[in-house]
Amino acid sequence: ARGTASDRGPSSSTLHGTSGRRKPSEILAAARQPAGSLPQHQVHLHKEATTPRILSFQNLSHFSHHVDSVVSVDEPLFRPTPAEIRFSGFESLQSFDATLCLRNQDNVARRVKILPPDSSFFQVLPGKGRKSTGNSDNKVAPGMEVSYIIRFTPDAQVEDYSYDLVVVTERERFVVPIRATGGHALLELPDSIDFGSAAVKFETVKTILVRNVGDKPTKFLLRVPPPFSSVVQDGYLEVGETMQVDVTFRPDKAESYERDMLVIYGDGVEASVSLSGMAENVHVTFSVSQLNMIDTFIALSTQKTIIIHNHSEVPVDFSWRAFPTIEEEIGQKLKLQVQLKQEEGEEAQALEQIHSLGGDSEDDDEVLSDTSDEDLGRSSIRNVDVATGALQRRYRNIAKAILEDPMFFYDEIFAVEPLSGRIWAKSKAAVTFTFTPKAALNYQCLAYCSVVGQADRLPLLLKGQGIGPKAAFSYDELDVGDIFVESVHQYEVNLINQGDIDVNFRLVVNNSPFGSKFKFEPSEGRLEVGGQCTIVVELCPDLLGEFQETFYWELVGSTSTIPLNFRGHSVSPTFHFDLDRISFGVISYGFLNSKTLTLTNTSEVPMRFALRIPGDGRFAQREFDVIPSKGTLLPNCSQKVQVDFISVNVKSYDLCLVVDLDGVGQELASIPIQARCAVPQVTFEPQEILEYGNIFIRYPSHQTLVLNNTSALPAKFQILPQEESTRALADFEPDQAFGSVPPASSHVITFTLTSQKIGPLQIPITVRILGHSQPRTITLVANSIGPIVNVDPAVVDWGNAKCLESVTRHVKITNNSVINASVKCILKTKNSLWTVSPKALELQPHETSSLALTLTIDEVVKLTDLLHVVVHESNDVAVTVRAKGIGTPVTCQENLDVIDFGTQYTTQTISREFVIENRGRQPRKIQWILESDDPNKKKDRSKTPDNTPEKLNVFSVSPDTIILDGKSAFKFVFNAMSPKTGELSEVLLCQETVGNERKANTVFRSELRGNFVTPLLSLSSTTVSFRYLWERDTPIHPLDDQLILTNISPLDVRFFIKVQPPFYVNIDTYFLRPEEKVEIRVEFDPAFKVDRVCGTVKQKLTIIYQDHPQKDSVTLVGEVVFPNLALNTTKLDFGSVLNETTKQLSITMSNPNPLPVNFQWSFVEEQEVNDAEMARLMEVGSASSPTSQMLAAGSRGGSANNTATSGFFQPRQSGMSPAMSLQSEALSQAVTQAMNMESGAMAGVSGNFAATKTGKEKPQVDINQIFDILPI
């Protein structure tokens, strides 16, 4: 929220004032008034009608239904009062309030709110009489206003604060600026500066002291008007800091100056300091006011010196200038800048043209010859970018040099030294001027001396006279006498230098008729002082007559010329012909006639002649030709001349042959020419019509026309070109378009006629006999026809044609003409069932070809069509074709006579798919039935017994009935499934019915056959037996045996093997091809007998076939032999026995197994065996042996403390093979050993154990004290 004065705009505090600029002392006096005279705190409310700054616009329809407003979009809906809030003269850590009112300028109620400031120095509170509503907006009636309190809490007294308060209306967001100004900065400096009297253009410096006596640091700006200036334009002063400022006074005119220097500092404080001074011219003079230089030869120099006196008390600087005022110097620089811009634009345009033309140009050097220099060479021209950059740099440097040019005095004739300098007070300086003339002229020039201290520049007039070179010829005039025209003559003359400087001479061109025939060598040159030059003059006149020519020679640097005169007489050469006239007599029109004569040169100089016949035509209209028409004859030589004459006009000729001599004259001699032209008479045979008869189009035909010449002169004829309008009908060409007919003879012309269109033709021929005014017209008459094509036969009948079978017939077509025939074959019916090949052909003259017509009928109907043989540019020929369809259009791409399913398993469904197409146009009902069920077939019911079992259908078609639309196809599925074996076959009929037909037609007769078998496996054995004999200290391990299965069925077999524990197989699923074998390992795990009781288990190994109900089995037998004893009874009942008495009972013990048995008897206390264990033991005993076997210990080392365990087998986990069940086997052995130790030698286990468990408490007596067993 803090800001500088530049952020807040203009200040309006009482301290700074509001009207005009004041002196620095007045501002200090106002600031140093007593504290009571100024209020402690001021709030400045700027109420001027300024439009608030709008930040952004909102969619009015989102906040109000009144989308139209009378307030312009350039103004907000609410006018803030004041437009800007200012605080000044505040104290830190105090609160200051200002009121802000927002008035609704619209004609409807509008909402408005002020966004809370994000500054800790400013706060927005509700206005007087309004409750705090947080940040919610207020709806204000039209014309009403809402007020807010703006609270300002500064934390520093001398700081400035600035914040833009955002007001949100329904249409826009605008800002109300808040500005707070702390302490003030005050600068102490003088109110006025007086420079007194000063010399014009002389710098006078005054130094002032500026000190900050205010409360805070400040920046200041100095605005010094000319002719006053200051090096210091701005600065910065801390509180109490001081700075020296130099103010310079440099006047340009001698007058009084008063200006105000503006000092701006602090919060826009402006102080005015008065500046004054008086400018005067100093007394400076020249020793002369006009400088006359000594007369000087051109290219030489002379010098003179003048004195400049400084009579003033101050040193002055002087410089010699070319312009009287500085304004003219600036104008000249501007002109040079404009000219420079034009030249730069022209060169840039030239570079662009070179670039657009591509590559180097032969005129590159010429285009930039005026402006190119060493920095811009040929290589830069080729590279446009480099050249453009170099061009811009060069002109930029030139423009900079022009701006920095002091515009000192410069002249090609006068020079001054020195151009500038300083003259001290009461002193003088010498200036030297040099005069170097370049021509013999009077020179004068003004030089202006710019002196510091003088407002105007002092002029000095410079004058001088240049002296040129002096030279003369050895003679002034030469008479050459009589000379032949075109002859060459040479003369000599000397040019002598009579002056004191070198002479540069040159000839002034003389363009007179005879003056241009003179040549001077040399025509220009240089003569040293006292030297001379010989000039050779060559004359070759080409004109006749007298001449007198004066030639002037210029001396460079001199205003006068030197004359040289020549005079004489040019005469022509002489010649003659050997004939005095040329006579051609009577000639025929248009024929060549020639005459020869001789021209002789009798003069002593060569003669260039030209021969012509005046009155003859020009260019193509010329009738005479002179050979040669021009040439050169050497002295006393002759030339043969031939005159050719071709008359093109019937008249008499009276002309002459004239001779012109080149460079001498025209028609210097002439010879008469006489002749008469006549035209012969010619007749034609035939006279008007040349008949051709019938002609073939575009084929040339010939006829002759005879021309008879009955006169004594030869005649020329011409066949005029054919009229363009008739070329579209026919073209004719004569064998001779031009020719001649000898006198009293005939000439034959052959015309070739080629027609372009069909029909009668009449073509006019124009024959012109040269000399006759009217040509003769002969008409060519002919009838143009096209090729003649014949077709045989005109009717082609196919008869009965089977559906869908292609039948081809041929038609012979012949071209009976001498031109090619283009033939196209088109069938009248669209999508006709007939096809023709080829459809288009080109027949050579008298060629015969064959057309192949192929019919593929798709319905059982009669068909007729018309074949149009279209002959280009001739008559068409029609051929009638007809046929009758038989059979059926229903077809199948595959053969359905026999559908063999091959060998298949019974009870399995086998499918075959066939696509049947109806290529006809009518829908057909397709039905599949058994041949035995065919209603069209007569059945012998008498031979069929009533008790015949129902026949099982093995084969079927799906679907069996369908409506097949025309031009469509359907996929039928043939199925075969038999529950019994054997080779079976059935015959199915595919019948069609069209429309309302009642009788069905058989389309296909298909025999379906198949050999059905059951899966067969040959087993190497039907029974697999295992026997395990227990061995001491040997762990129980599985037993295995091999079973070989062979596929003896004709098909592949996939089967599954199922077996129950304790039997296992290494394969549970397998696939066998015919005659393949597989070896299966069958395992038996004897550890399943965890009770150690001998036993035998019998199970089935079941073979299940995939997708077939048949099952095969193999008997599995497993026997486990343990060392067991057999007792003849499992219960000993002693009945009632008196105390202290003895009673004996005997039992019989036997060993039915091949293993020896060591046994030991022991008693089991009844409290050690619970009911569940006894029940399990009883079950084991009853299930193990029908003879109630009991377990016996394998050794005598058993302990009576071991407990009994179950004898049930725990099946191994699914998927666990016997070879991988070591853990289970070890567990089984541990259980068996524990059982042997605890229950070995158990005797008399019977139901008494259960009976001992009564409700009465039994006496605690050791059972060994009651019973005794012998032998133990």
Side-chain angles (χ1 to χ4, degrees), residues 1054-1123:
R1054 180 179 294 277
F1055 54 88
F1056 307 94
I1057 299 177
K1058 302 296 183 182
V1059 67
Q1060 296 295 328
F1063 297 97
Y1064 304 92
V1065 292
N1066 63 332
I1067 297 174
D1068 55 357
T1069 303
Y1070 204 75
F1071 175 81
L1072 286 179
R1073 299 188 182 278
E1075 303 301 329
E1076 281 188 350
K1077 298 180 180 181
V1078 62
E1079 189 177 87
I1080 298 175
R1081 184 173 73 251
V1082 183
E1083 295 182 353
F1084 170 66
D1085 187 9
F1088 86 99
K1089 292 293 289 181
V1090 295
D1091 56 358
R1092 293 301 180 96
V1093 177
C1094 296
T1096 300
V1097 58
K1098 293 184 178 181
Q1099 291 186 8
K1100 294 289 186 178
L1101 182 147
T1102 305
I1103 301 175
I1104 302 173
Y1105 299 94
Q1106 184 179 9
D1107 299 331
H1108 201 277
Q1110 178 176 328
K1111 296 182 180 180
D1112 293 334
S1113 63
V1114 177
T1115 302
L1116 302 178
V1117 179
E1119 181 182 0
V1120 181
V1121 179
F1122 287 101

Side-chain angles (χ1 to χ4, degrees), residues 952-968:
L952 179 63
N953 291 332
V954 177
F955 304 96
S956 62
V957 181
S958 177
D960 58 354
T961 303
I962 191 175
I963 300 298
L964 193 57
D965 294 332
K967 303 298 180 182
S968 63

Side-chain angles (χ1 to χ4, degrees), residues 787-985:
I788 301 173
V789 177
N790 298 326
V791 180
D792 184 42
V795 177
V796 183
D797 191 355
W798 266 258
N800 293 332
K802 194 172 182 180
C803 288
L804 305 182
E805 288 187 2
S806 299
V807 182
T808 302
R809 298 285 189 270
H810 291 85
V811 175
K812 184 172 67 173
I813 180 170
T814 305
N815 179 12
N816 293 323
S817 55
V818 295
I819 61 174
N820 294 345
S822 296
V823 179
K824 291 185 179 179
C825 301
I826 303 173
L827 289 163
K828 179 180 179 181
T829 305
K830 186 179 180 180
N831 299 326
S832 176
L833 299 179
W834 276 275
T835 59
V836 58
S837 177
K839 292 185 178 181
L841 68 160
E842 188 80 15
L843 292 177
Q844 299 296 325
H846 304 292
E847 180 185 2
T848 299
S849 183
S850 178
L851 295 177
L853 290 169
T854 303
L855 171 65
T856 306
I857 197 167
D858 59 359
E859 280 294 346
V860 186
V861 292
K862 291 183 178 180
L863 297 176
T864 302
D865 206 344
L866 199 63
L867 173 65
H868 292 283
V869 179
V870 181
V871 182
H872 182 59
E873 296 178 336
S874 185
N875 298 326
D876 299 343
V877 182
V879 179
T880 302
V881 292
R882 57 192 176 202
K884 180 182 179 182
I886 60 175
T888 177
V890 179
T891 183
C892 180
Q893 294 184 357
E894 302 177 63
N895 189 6
L896 297 180
D897 294 342
V898 177
I899 302 176
D900 192 353
F901 287 88
T903 302
Q904 304 292 341
Y905 285 123
T906 58
T907 70
Q908 292 185 357
T909 300
I910 301 93
S911 299
R912 297 284 189 273
E913 294 180 350
F914 295 93
V915 177
I916 295 180
E917 300 179 68
N918 178 13
R919 298 186 181 177
R921 304 181 183 181
Q922 299 182 8
R924 284 170 165 75
K925 179 181 178 182
I926 306 299
Q927 184 178 10
W928 289 90
I929 61 174
L930 292 173
E931 187 179 32
S932 58
D933 298 337
D934 186 5
N936 298 328
K937 184 178 180 182
K938 296 181 180 180
K939 299 181 180 180
D940 191 358
R941 298 179 179 269
S942 61
K943 296 182 180 180
T944 304
D946 296 337
N947 57 355
T948 301
E950 183 179 356
K951 184 178 180 182
L952 179 63
N953 291 332
V954 177
F955 304 96
S956 62
V957 181
S958 177
D960 58 354
T961 303
I962 191 175
I963 300 298
L964 193 57
D965 294 332
K967 303 298 180 182
S968 63
F970 191 82
K971 183 184 293 183
F972 290 88
V973 180
F974 292 79
N975 301 318
M977 195 281 292
S978 176
K980 60 181 181 179
T981 61
E983 294 186 359
L984 304 177
S985 67

Side-chain angles (χ1 to χ4, degrees), residues 716-764:
K716 276 191 176 182
F717 66 88
Q718 178 186 6
I719 309 298
L720 298 183
Q722 182 180 354
E723 297 180 1
E724 291 296 331
S725 59
T726 62
R727 288 187 179 275
L729 301 177
D731 294 331
F732 71 82
E733 182 179 359
D735 61 346
Q736 187 178 0
F738 300 92
S740 62
V741 183
S745 63
S746 300
H747 185 78
V748 179
I749 303 174
T750 301
F751 288 90
T752 301
L753 179 64
T754 305
S755 64
Q756 303 297 334
K757 287 189 176 180
I758 301 295
L761 302 175
Q762 288 186 357
I763 308 298

Side-chain angles (χ1 to χ4, degrees), residues 356-407:
S356 62
L357 293 176
D360 297 337
S361 173
E362 296 179 357
D363 300 332
D364 286 349
D365 296 336
E366 297 179 3
V367 172
L368 299 179
S369 61
D370 297 335
T371 57
S372 60
D373 56 8
E374 297 179 355
D375 298 330
L376 188 62
R378 185 181 298 273
S379 61
S380 64
I381 294 177
R382 294 192 181 98
N383 191 327
V384 176
D385 295 336
V386 176
T388 303
L391 182 68
Q392 293 175 353
R393 287 193 302 272
R394 189 182 67 178
Y395 276 97
R396 189 163 53 248
N397 295 334
I398 296 174
K400 182 179 178 182
I402 291 175
L403 290 177
E404 296 175 354
D405 186 7
M407 302 296 286

Side-chain angles (χ1 to χ4, degrees), residues 551-755:
F551 296 92
Y552 295 95
W553 295 78
E554 289 183 349
L555 302 180
V556 178
S558 176
T559 57
S560 61
T561 58
I562 306 174
L564 181 61
N565 296 322
F566 290 90
R567 63 182 178 178
H569 186 208
S570 176
V571 296
S572 63
T574 58
F575 60 90
H576 70 85
F577 287 100
D578 61 346
L579 297 179
D580 56 355
R581 68 176 57 245
I582 301 173
S583 179
F584 286 94
V586 179
I587 60 174
S588 181
Y589 185 94
F591 283 87
L592 174 65
N593 299 273
S594 300
K595 293 292 182 177
T596 303
L597 67 162
T598 303
L599 175 64
T600 303
N601 181 9
T602 59
S603 63
E604 297 178 355
V605 294
M607 178 183 71
R608 293 197 304 273
F609 66 91
L611 303 178
R612 59 187 176 89
I613 302 176
D616 194 11
R618 300 181 61 187
F619 304 111
Q621 297 179 355
R622 287 194 311 166
E623 296 177 293
F624 292 89
D625 189 12
V626 181
I627 304 173
S629 61
K630 62 176 62 178
T632 301
L633 272 178
L634 297 178
N636 301 316
C637 292
S638 300
Q639 173 69 51
K640 292 287 187 182
V641 178
Q642 178 178 333
V643 180
D644 293 338
F645 175 40
I646 300 176
S647 175
V648 294
N649 294 293
V650 181
K651 66 178 183 179
S652 295
Y653 292 86
D654 189 3
L655 303 173
C656 61
L657 174 66
V658 299
V659 180
D660 299 335
L661 294 183
D662 191 9
V664 177
Q666 295 183 347
E667 299 184 7
L668 298 180
S670 63
I671 297 178
I673 299 176
Q674 296 177 349
R676 186 173 68 85
C677 178
V679 180
Q681 296 295 326
V682 178
T683 60
F684 296 88
E685 293 182 8
Q687 294 184 359
E688 296 181 356
I689 296 175
L690 190 61
E691 184 69 43
Y692 279 81
N694 290 333
I695 63 174
F696 288 102
I697 187 171
R698 287 183 294 278
Y699 186 79
S701 301
H702 309 284
Q703 282 290 1
T704 59
L705 177 67
V706 180
L707 277 67
N708 298 316
N709 184 5
T710 58
S711 64
L713 296 175
K716 276 191 176 182
F717 66 88
Q718 178 186 6
I719 309 298
L720 298 183
Q722 182 180 354
E723 297 180 1
E724 291 296 331
S725 59
T726 62
R727 288 187 179 275
L729 301 177
D731 294 331
F732 71 82
E733 182 179 359
D735 61 346
Q736 187 178 0
F738 300 92
S740 62
V741 183
S745 63
S746 300
H747 185 78
V748 179
I749 303 174
T750 301
F751 288 90
T752 301
L753 179 64
T754 305
S755 64

